[in-house]
C-alpha cells in the first residue's frame, strides 16, 4: 500500500509538471508596450497603463493561467529615479510597497520573476544592482510580492541582499532536474566565475562558484540564456567580445565543455525551441553610435560549432542596432532594432516594428527572417525585452536527480534543508541548527524590509538566539558558511 501511494504521488507530480504553465504569456517592456501571447496565433499588442523608461531592464510574469500578475516599470530618464525600479500590478498601479527596487534601469538582464514553489500567490523578484556615479548597491537582491494582499499585491519582503559581489549584466534561471527547484545563475564581473544559487521550498542556498569560460569585463552587456531543455547555456558580450557556449547539468548545476563561438561584440542571443540552433547578434557600433549589425546562427549539433556560423540577416540602417532576442510562446524569435542616438523617443519604421525569425529550428536561410514585420501598434522599442525563462520545464525522467535535494556541483549528496530553525513561530528564543554540524561564519536576522536587525559572528552549529527585543512580525535567518555559501529561512516572531 505504501509503495502504491508513493507511485501515485509521483504520477500526480508528473501530471502537474506536464500541464502547460503560462507565466510567460504577457510581455511588458519599453514604450508602455504589452504583448499578450495567450492566443499564440493572434497575439495582441496594447499600451500598458504606465509610462515606461526607454531602456533595457524589464521583467513581467503571469499566473499559471496566463493572467498578468506583475511587471516592472514606471521609471523615467530623470537620473533621480533612473537608478531604481518599481513593481506594478495588473491594474497598472504600483503594488503596495513596490517602489525603490534597487535595480538600475540600464542592465541587460537585471530582473527576473520566479513563482514561489509552494504558494501560488507569492512571487520572488531577483535583481542585480551595481555601483554608479549616483548610488551604490552592488550585488544580487530579492523582494517577495504577495498577490493575495491589497487585491493586486504587496511587497512583503524588500531589497534583501543575497550577495554583494559585483556581477555582470547577466542573470537567468532554469529548473533543477527534479522539476521543482530553480538554479539562478549570474556571472561575476572582471572574472570567469559563474555564481549559482539554488532556490528550494526551504529557501535560497549558495553561491556555488565555478570558474570556467572567458573573462567578462566592464559589466559585460549582453544576454545569457539557457536552452529550452536546460542542457545548454549560451552567452554573448559586448565588452568581452565573446560568444560562448557551455553544457549544463540540471542535477548538479555543473557548467562544462566551454566553446568559444567567436570573438565578436554581441548583445542579443537566443536558442531555438528544439535547442539545436543558437542565434547571436553582432554589434559593430563605432564611437559615434553608427555601424551595421548582423544576426548569425550556429548549429549546435556540429562537432565544431564555431565553423557553422551562418549569416541570416544584416541591419539595413546604421542608425539602428539589434536589441535583445526572445523566443516567444508561438515558437518564433522576436527582436527589435533600437535607435542609436540620444533621443529615445525618436519614432521610425525600424523601431516601431519587431523583426522575427519565422522558423528558428531550421539551420540556414530556411529559418526565414521577417524584418520589421510585427507592428507594435504605434509604440517604439529600444534594446530591452522582458527577462523570460522556460517556466514549463519538467523533471528529467530517470535521471539521478529525480528525487529532490540531491548533490550540488558533484559534491556528495546532501539532503536539504541544511538549516533548521525552531520553534516557529517563536517568542523569546530561536534555535538555529546547521544540520551538517559545522559552525557558520555569520548569522543575520533580517526583517521584512530587508534591514539587518541582528548579526552574530561568534556562532555554533546549534545556536540559541534571544529574540525578545524584536517586534512581532516576519523575519529571515541568513546563515553564511565559511565556504561562502548562504542559506535563508523564514520565521515568525510572536
Amino acid at each position: 500500500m505504501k509503495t502504491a501511494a508513493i507511485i501515485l504521488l509521483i504520477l500526480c507530480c508528473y501530471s502537474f509538471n506536464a500541464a502547460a504553465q503560462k507565466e510567460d504569456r504577457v510581455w511588458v517592456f519599453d514604450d508602455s508596450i504589452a504583448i499578450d501571447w495567450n492566443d499564440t496565433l493572434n497575439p495582441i499588442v496594447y499600451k500598458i497603463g504606465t509610462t515606461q523608461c526607454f531602456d533595457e531592464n524589464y521583467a513581467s510574469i503571469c499566473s499559471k493561467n496566463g493572467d498578468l500578475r506583475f511587471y516592472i516599470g514606471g521609471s523615467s530618464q530623470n537620473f533621480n529615479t533612473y537608478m531604481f525600479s518599481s513593481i506594478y500590478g495588473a491594474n497598472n498601479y504600483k503594488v503596495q510597497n513596490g517602489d525603490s527596487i534597487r535595480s538600475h534601469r540600464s542592465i541587460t538582464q537585471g530582473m527576473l520573476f520566479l513563482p514561489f514553489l509552494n504558494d501560488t500567490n507569492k512571487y520572488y523578484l531577483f535583481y542585480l544592482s551595481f555601483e554608479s556615479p549616483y548610488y551604490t548597491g552592488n550585488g544580487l537582491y530579492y523582494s517577495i510580492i504577495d498577490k493575495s494582499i491589497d487585491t493586486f499585491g504587496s511587497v512583503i519582503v524588500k531589497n534583501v541582499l543575497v550577495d554583494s559581489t559585483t556581477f555582470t549584466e547577466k542573470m537567468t534561471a532554469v529548473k533543477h532536474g527534479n522539476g521543482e527547484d530553480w538554479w539562478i545563475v549570474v556571472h561575476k564581473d572582471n572574472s570567469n566565475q559563474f555564481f549559482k544559487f539554488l532556490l528550494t521550498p526551504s529557501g535560497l542556498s549558495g553561491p556555488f562558484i565555478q570558474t570556467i569560460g572567458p573573462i567578462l569585463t566592464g559589466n559585460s552587456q549582453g544576454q545569457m540564456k539557457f536552452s529550452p531543455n536546460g542542457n545548454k547555456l549560451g552567452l554573448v558580450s559586448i565588452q568581452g567580445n565573446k560568444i560562448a557556449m557551455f553544457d549544463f547539468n540540471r542535477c548538479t548545476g555543473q557548467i562544462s565543455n566551454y566553446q568559444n563561438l567567436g570573438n565578436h561584440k554581441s548583445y542579443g542571443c537566443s536558442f531555438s525551441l528544439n535547442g539545436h540552433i543558437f542565434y547571436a547578434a553582432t554589434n559593430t557600433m563605432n564611437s559615434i553610435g553608427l555601424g551595421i549589425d548582423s544576426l548569425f546562427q550556429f548549429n549546435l549539433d556540429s562537432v565544431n560549432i564555431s565553423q557553422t556560423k551562418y549569416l541570416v540577416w544584416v541591419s539595413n540602417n546604421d542608425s539602428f542596432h539589434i536589441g535583445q532576442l526572445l523566443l516567444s510562446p508561438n515558437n518564433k524569435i522576436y527582436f527589435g532594432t533600437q535607435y542609436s542616438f540620444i533621443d529615445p523617443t525618436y519614432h521610425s519604421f525600424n523601431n516601431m516594428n519587431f523583426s522575427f525569425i519565422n522558423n528558428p529550428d531550421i539551420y540556414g536561410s530556411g529559418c526565414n527572417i521577417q524584418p520589421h514585420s510585427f507592428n507594435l501598434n504605434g509604440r517604439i522599442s529600444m534594446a530591452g525585452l522582458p527577462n523570460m525563462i522556460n517556466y514549463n520545464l519538467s523533471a528529467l525522467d530517470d535521471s539521478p536527480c529525480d528525487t529532490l535535494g540531491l548533490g550540488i556541483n558533484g559534491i556528495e549528496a546532501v539532503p536539504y534543508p541544511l538549516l533548521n530553525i525552531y520553534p516557529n513561530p517563536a517568542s523569546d528564543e530561536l534555535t538555529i541548527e546547521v544540520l551538517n554540524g559545522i559552525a557558520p561564519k555569520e548569522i543575520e536576522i533580517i526583517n521584512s524590509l530587508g534591514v539587518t536587525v541582528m548579526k552574530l559572528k561568534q556562532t555554533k552549529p546549534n545556536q540559541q538566539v534571544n529574540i525578545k527585543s524584536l517586534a512581532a512580525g516576519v523575519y529571515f535567518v541568513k546563515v553564511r558558511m565559511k565556504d561562502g555559501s548562504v542559506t535563508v529561512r523564514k520565521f515568525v516572531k510572536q
Side-chain angles (χ1 to χ4, degrees):
M1 179 67 76
K2 183 177 179 181
T3 302
I6 292 173
I7 292 173
L8 179 61
L9 176 62
I10 291 172
L11 290 174
C12 289
C13 290
Y14 274 89
S15 297
F16 176 80
N17 282 329
Q21 305 297 295
K22 298 181 179 180
E23 285 96 338
D24 63 347
R25 291 304 172 99
V26 180
W27 298 358
V28 180
F29 60 101
D30 277 334
D31 180 19
S32 307
I33 301 170
I35 305 178
D36 187 329
W37 296 98
N38 278 289
D39 182 349
T40 56
L41 297 178
N42 298 288
I44 299 170
V45 182
Y46 63 96
K47 181 183 184 299
I48 202 73
T50 64
T51 301
Q52 298 292 299
C53 170
F54 295 89
D55 223 303
E56 54 184 330
N57 191 6
Y58 297 104
S60 54
I61 193 165
C62 297
S63 70
K64 65 180 181 180
N65 297 319
D67 301 316
L68 180 63
R69 282 278 169 96
F70 306 111
Y71 64 92
I72 300 299
S75 183
S76 69
Q77 289 286 55
N78 186 318
F79 277 117
N80 292 325
T81 59
Y82 190 65
M83 303 303 148
F84 299 92
S85 300
S86 298
I87 303 171
Y88 284 74
N91 63 341
N92 298 317
Y93 289 95
K94 288 180 189 177
V95 301
Q96 187 180 83
N97 196 31
D99 62 337
S100 302
I101 300 300
R102 299 179 63 94
S103 190
H104 192 296
R105 297 293 292 135
S106 183
I107 302 176
T108 309
Q109 293 170 290
M111 291 181 277
L112 177 66
F113 283 108
L114 289 178
F116 248 63
L117 302 175
N118 51 7
D119 190 331
T120 57
N121 281 313
K122 291 179 181 176
Y123 295 82
Y124 286 97
L125 176 66
F126 287 92
Y127 43 100
L128 297 172
S129 180
F130 54 76
E131 290 185 0
S132 77
Y134 308 98
Y135 82 114
T136 59
N138 280 0
L140 175 65
Y141 292 76
Y142 73 82
S143 291
I144 297 174
I145 313 101
D146 190 335
K147 169 66 173 62
S148 67
I149 299 176
D150 197 34
T151 306
F152 289 97
S154 175
V155 175
I156 59 173
V157 176
K158 187 172 179 177
N159 290 335
V160 176
L161 178 63
V162 177
D163 194 295
S164 60
T165 301
T166 300
F167 296 109
T168 66
E169 297 188 14
K170 305 178 191 304
M171 175 172 57
T172 189
V174 68
K175 281 279 185 73
H176 187 281
N178 60 34
E180 299 293 332
D181 304 334
W182 289 98
W183 291 107
I184 301 163
V185 180
V186 291
H187 196 286
K188 184 180 179 181
D189 196 22
N190 296 312
S191 82
N192 57 346
Q193 289 187 328
F194 288 91
F195 280 49
K196 295 164 286 187
F197 299 85
L198 185 62
L199 181 64
T200 76
S202 301
L204 189 67
S205 299
F208 309 104
I209 302 172
Q210 188 177 351
T211 302
I212 186 173
I215 293 175
L216 302 181
T217 61
N219 295 325
S220 186
Q221 298 170 356
Q223 290 179 289
M224 177 169 67
K225 297 282 190 72
F226 279 104
S227 59
N229 65 5
N231 67 1
K232 295 283 187 182
L233 178 66
L235 65 83
V236 297
S237 172
I238 290 181
Q239 288 85 354
N241 295 344
K242 292 292 183 184
I243 302 175
M245 184 60 57
F246 307 86
D247 292 339
F248 186 80
N249 187 315
R250 289 172 55 201
C251 294
T252 66
Q254 188 77 5
I255 300 171
S256 62
N257 191 27
Y258 162 56
Q259 295 188 58
N260 178 12
L261 303 190
N263 299 322
H264 304 286
K265 292 181 182 293
S266 184
Y267 178 75
C269 70
S270 179
F271 289 89
S272 64
L273 180 66
N274 66 12
H276 297 294
I277 307 295
F278 184 68
Y279 292 84
T282 61
N283 181 286
T284 56
M285 249 193 314
N286 60 25
S287 60
I288 60 170
L290 296 175
I292 299 297
D293 285 9
S294 301
L295 181 63
F296 293 92
Q297 62 175 195
F298 297 87
N299 186 347
L300 302 183
D301 293 332
S302 173
V303 175
N304 192 336
I305 299 173
S306 64
Q307 296 301 310
T308 68
K309 177 182 172 184
Y310 184 90
L311 177 65
V312 294
W313 188 68
V314 176
S315 172
N316 65 353
N317 189 319
D318 64 3
S319 295
F320 290 86
H321 298 283
I322 299 173
Q324 296 180 21
L325 276 63
L326 184 55
L327 179 66
S328 75
N330 68 3
N331 303 330
K332 306 178 192 300
I333 295 174
Y334 288 78
F335 59 94
T337 45
Q338 70 171 111
Y339 188 54
S340 60
F341 291 111
I342 193 66
D343 180 11
T345 65
Y346 179 76
H347 286 62
S348 165
F349 171 80
N350 291 273
N351 62 359
M352 295 174 69
N353 294 274
F354 268 169
S355 301
F356 65 90
I357 307 169
N358 198 42
N359 302 305
D361 286 336
I362 296 177
Y363 176 69
S365 60
C367 69
N368 188 16
I369 301 290
Q370 298 290 311
H372 310 299
S373 55
F374 184 88
N375 188 269
L376 296 175
N377 200 17
R379 320 309 298 176
I380 60 175
S381 68
M382 285 287 285
L385 285 169
N387 191 9
M388 289 292 183
I389 55 177
N390 185 2
Y391 293 99
N392 278 298
L393 194 55
S394 60
L396 288 167
D397 293 339
D398 301 320
S399 77
C401 64
D402 56 8
T403 299
L404 299 182
L406 292 181
I408 296 168
N409 286 345
I411 300 172
E412 182 181 355
V414 181
Y416 55 76
L418 300 174
L419 184 66
N420 192 20
I421 58 174
Y422 58 90
N424 191 7
S427 54
D428 297 331
E429 190 173 82
L430 185 71
T431 297
I432 303 169
E433 181 183 13
V434 181
L435 299 183
N436 61 11
I438 299 174
K441 179 180 179 180
E442 181 180 271
I443 294 174
E444 290 181 72
I445 294 181
I446 301 167
N447 67 18
S448 61
L449 297 177
V451 177
T452 298
V453 295
M454 195 177 297
K455 181 180 288 188
L456 305 174
K457 289 189 178 292
Q458 300 297 321
T459 61
K460 298 179 292 186
N462 194 303
Q463 181 79 43
Q464 283 74 45
V465 182
N466 188 320
I467 59 171
K468 289 181 180 179
S469 63
L470 298 180
V474 175
Y475 293 85
F476 295 82
V477 174
K478 180 178 178 180
V479 173
R480 185 179 298 276
M481 303 301 290
K482 292 176 182 177
D483 65 359
S485 63
V486 174
T487 303
V488 179
R489 296 287 183 269
K490 180 176 73 173
F491 76 94
V492 175
K493 168 65 165 63
Q494 292 179 328

